[in-house]
Amino acid sequence: MAEIRAVCFDVGGVLAHVALSWDAAMAAAGLPSGPSYAIPLETLPAFNLYQAGQLDIEAYLDEAADFLEINSATALKVHNSILLGPTDGTFAIVDELNARGLTTGCLSNTNTLHWGVLTDPKRYPNVAALQVKAASQAIGFNKPAEESFRAFEAMAGAGPGEILFFEDGPANVEAAKRFGWNAVQIDPLASQTDQIRRVLTDYSLL
């Protein structure tokens, strides 16, 4: 087994609490929602295209507004409400890994509107402290596309076997393993910090 040189995190569900469905995002925005909105965010094709940088903000918000039966300004409010805050204790983990000389980074399916918030050190210090930040809208691919994983490798200067990856999405974990990464699935409903620390200790990285 190769020595781990880079620790990569997914953002949503690992470093950030997020609304995972449209009804949850509507509720976080203080808006009523019905069962027809209780579907994952990625079910809306425009959401995936926007995250991959293949659809501009205005077109995405128009599509989201039509789907949610609201206006574009309210759709922007719902979209911004997807982000619920950083996960407790993960900044300390990133800080410790940086101090130990490991390369820290993220590989995230995200978008321009969220990225400005996630990289703000006052709002998400855990993400801001990462050395390598690979975002889908900049790469041009969403996970689990192989191109997204290879883009992170190039940015981090690390080979597949040298990367330890924490991710909450089963399909992305399976893809990472298929592409040679050391991938661990995180349960977003349990303590992310406890899960991450336990694995890092097993790898003798903490």
Side-chain angles (χ1 to χ4, degrees):
M1 180 181 295
E3 180 182 357
I4 298 299
R5 296 179 51 227
V7 180
C8 180
F9 302 89
D10 179 30
V11 175
V14 179
L15 295 183
H17 295 294
V18 294
L20 298 175
S21 59
W22 287 107
D23 61 327
M26 293 274 281
L31 299 169
S33 66
S36 61
Y37 303 132
I39 62 173
L41 302 174
E42 293 80 6
T43 304
L44 180 64
F47 184 79
N48 296 319
L49 292 172
Y50 178 50
Q51 291 204 132
Q54 298 171 17
L55 194 66
D56 63 32
I57 293 173
E58 291 75 16
Y60 160 64
L61 290 176
D62 285 344
E63 292 281 348
D66 287 345
F67 169 69
L68 297 171
E69 299 179 313
I70 53 181
N71 60 44
S72 292
T74 307
L76 174 59
K77 181 179 180 181
V78 172
H79 179 85
N80 289 337
S81 297
I82 291 170
L83 298 180
L84 304 176
T87 50
D88 295 337
T90 50
F91 170 72
I93 291 175
V94 172
D95 192 47
E96 187 171 348
L97 291 172
N98 285 338
R100 287 176 174 263
L102 289 154
T103 297
T104 58
C106 64
L107 179 59
S108 176
N109 287 354
T110 183
N111 53 76
T112 304
L113 287 170
H114 286 170
W115 197 236
V117 176
L118 290 169
T119 54
D120 181 347
K122 293 183 179 179
R123 301 180 70 174
Y124 287 84
N126 53 349
V127 178
L130 297 170
Q131 301 163 26
V132 177
K133 302 179 182 68
S136 57
Q137 82 279 2
I139 296 169
F141 294 95
N142 289 318
K143 294 173 296 184
E146 182 175 0
E147 291 88 346
S148 64
F149 293 93
R150 301 310 181 202
F152 179 87
E153 292 169 12
M155 294 171 68
E162 299 173 323
I163 299 170
L164 176 60
F165 182 43
F166 294 99
E167 160 74 53
D168 69 318
N172 296 332
V173 171
E174 291 174 9
K177 289 180 178 179
R178 190 164 63 251
F179 302 139
W181 289 27
N182 303 283
V184 177
Q185 185 171 345
I186 294 297
D187 179 357
L189 301 180
S191 169
Q192 288 87 350
T193 298
D194 290 347
Q195 296 173 76
I196 294 168
R197 281 196 175 277
R198 185 159 52 245
V199 173
L200 290 172
T201 300
D202 290 342
Y203 274 83
S204 300
L205 298 176
L206 285 184

